[in-house]
């Protein structure tokens, strides 16, 4: 939710200018390379990409909130939703592997597939409540 709100807030000119000043100050005062790369990435996003990021973040948060409530209420559909939501990370891992093969990326894909297989197997073995 915070990513969605932040991305949509950056579409406003005053907020974007203030955020750019913070980005500049943080980037020069921080010696952490990852932080600087994330700041540079966020600072270079076009308004259309910021809007898409905001909407995507809200949809993602909504999916996981729905999943959480369903699991809390012990609904079977939420278990299926969990398997599907976990499965959505597989294409991202495959895409990353097509860009550059590394042990970490391969491990991420394999771990994701193992988790999906485990969840699906547990779900299919358990009989629905009558």
């Amino acid at each position: 939710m915070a990513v969605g709100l932040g991305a949509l807030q950056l579409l406003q000119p005053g907020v974007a200018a203030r955020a750019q000043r913070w980005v500049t100050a943080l980037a020069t005062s921080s010696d952490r390379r990852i932080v600087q790369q994330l700041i540079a990435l966020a600072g270079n996003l076009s308004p259309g990409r910021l809007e898409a990021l905001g909407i995507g973040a809200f949809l993602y948060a909504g999916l996981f909130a729905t999943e959480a409530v369903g699991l809390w209420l012990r609904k079977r559909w939420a278990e299926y939703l969990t398997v599907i939501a976990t499965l959505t990370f597989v294409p991202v891992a495959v895409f990353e592997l097509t860009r550059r093969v590394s042990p970490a990326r391969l491990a991420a894909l394999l771990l994701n597939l193992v988790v999906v297989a485990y969840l699906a197997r547990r779900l299919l073995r358990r009989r629905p409540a009558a």
Side-chain angles (χ1 to χ4, degrees):
M1 293 289 286
V3 170
L5 289 172
L8 294 178
Q9 284 295 314
L10 286 175
L11 292 173
Q12 298 177 7
V15 173
R18 193 170 347 131
Q20 187 60 41
R21 286 192 300 272
W22 290 348
V23 164
T24 303
L26 187 59
T28 57
S29 68
S30 174
D31 61 346
R32 293 195 170 98
R33 198 177 84 206
I34 293 174
V35 172
Q36 290 175 343
Q37 288 173 345
L38 287 173
I39 289 170
L41 178 67
N44 292 329
L45 290 177
S46 69
R49 288 194 183 242
L50 277 174
E51 190 172 320
L53 176 65
I55 292 169
F58 281 123
L59 292 174
Y60 195 68
L63 169 70
F64 282 101
T66 303
E67 180 184 340
V69 169
L71 289 172
W72 184 36
L73 296 174
R74 297 179 186 255
K75 300 293 184 184
R76 187 140 175 96
W77 58 261
E79 295 174 8
Y80 284 101
L81 186 58
T82 302
V83 173
I84 293 167
T86 306
L87 194 58
T88 61
F89 292 111
V90 171
V92 175
V94 170
F95 173 75
E96 286 297 323
L97 272 174
T98 62
R99 291 179 60 207
R100 187 173 60 95
V101 176
S102 73
R105 291 176 184 198
L106 186 58
L109 174 62
L110 292 176
L111 179 64
N112 202 334
L113 290 172
V114 167
V115 169
V116 168
Y118 170 77
L119 290 172
R121 187 173 180 187
R122 257 187 85 108
L123 182 60
L124 295 175
R125 280 188 169 197
R126 200 167 61 90
R127 301 274 182 223

